Amino acid sequence: MSSDAASLEHLNDIALPADVPWWPLAPGWYLLLALLLLVGTWLAARAWTRWRANAYRRAALRELARADNAETIAELLRRTALARVPRSVIAQLGGMQWTDWLAARCTAEMPPDVRALLAGGIYAACAAKPDLRTLREYAAHWIAAHRLLAGDTQAGH
């Protein structure tokens, strides 16, 4: 063999440094974890608040499932509206004003037969029993998806 100093026999492997440990974390990770904790807490509080605010909807939908006549469904719609809007606003609404108020706060189109029932046909003496399916479907959609307008929470509406 050669006695040359640059001979391959005298070379050693490259010594790698030790792996960087995961713990303790760098300060930036602590900031990121704190930010994630704050955002998670805010989202959880917001979801909890929304869930509690919609308790009246869940209760109304449960009651709607047990409703067996048009009068009960009409009363349930009015009580659901009263859960969010002052009595002074809801009490003055009747007939077509009531159905217009309901229709303005719902994304679904109010069917004409539902409008007729809610405007006063429920209390009229009629021999034919009304079709509850359409009324129940509209009431379920209204309860689940209604949105209040700007002046709804003011008593002087």
Side-chain angles (χ1 to χ4, degrees):
M1 298 269 167
S2 154
S3 62
D4 187 5
S7 172
L8 292 178
E9 295 172 357
H10 298 293
L11 291 179
N12 293 324
D13 287 336
I14 298 175
L16 297 175
D19 290 336
V20 177
W22 280 97
W23 203 259
L25 298 174
W29 285 109
Y30 288 112
L31 290 174
L32 180 63
L33 289 173
L35 179 66
L36 288 175
L37 181 65
L38 283 173
V39 169
T41 303
W42 178 75
L43 288 174
R46 188 171 175 215
W48 175 254
T49 302
R50 183 171 287 158
W51 183 80
R52 289 194 57 197
N54 285 323
Y56 77 100
R57 292 178 195 260
R58 292 188 302 276
L61 288 171
R62 282 191 303 271
E63 195 169 328
L64 179 64
R66 294 187 307 265
D68 58 353
N69 59 40
E71 293 85 2
T72 305
I73 295 172
E75 178 189 343
L76 179 62
L77 283 172
R78 194 165 290 263
R79 285 189 297 127
T80 303
L82 282 170
R84 300 294 296 187
V85 180
R87 183 173 297 278
S88 60
V89 174
I90 299 298
Q92 66 186 352
L93 300 174
M96 291 305 285
Q97 287 180 329
W98 170 240
T99 57
D100 291 343
W101 189 89
L102 286 173
R105 282 139 188 90
C106 188
T107 57
E109 184 74 26
M110 183 181 284
D113 54 338
V114 170
R115 186 176 292 274
L117 274 172
L118 293 176
I122 290 174
Y123 303 107
C126 61
K129 189 168 176 123
D131 179 27
L132 290 183
R133 186 182 55 80
T134 308
L135 178 60
R136 188 184 306 274
E137 287 173 1
Y138 181 79
H141 184 77
W142 192 89
I143 291 168
H146 71 272
R147 298 287 178 251
L148 300 182
L149 301 180
D152 285 343
T153 57
Q154 300 169 355
H157 181 26

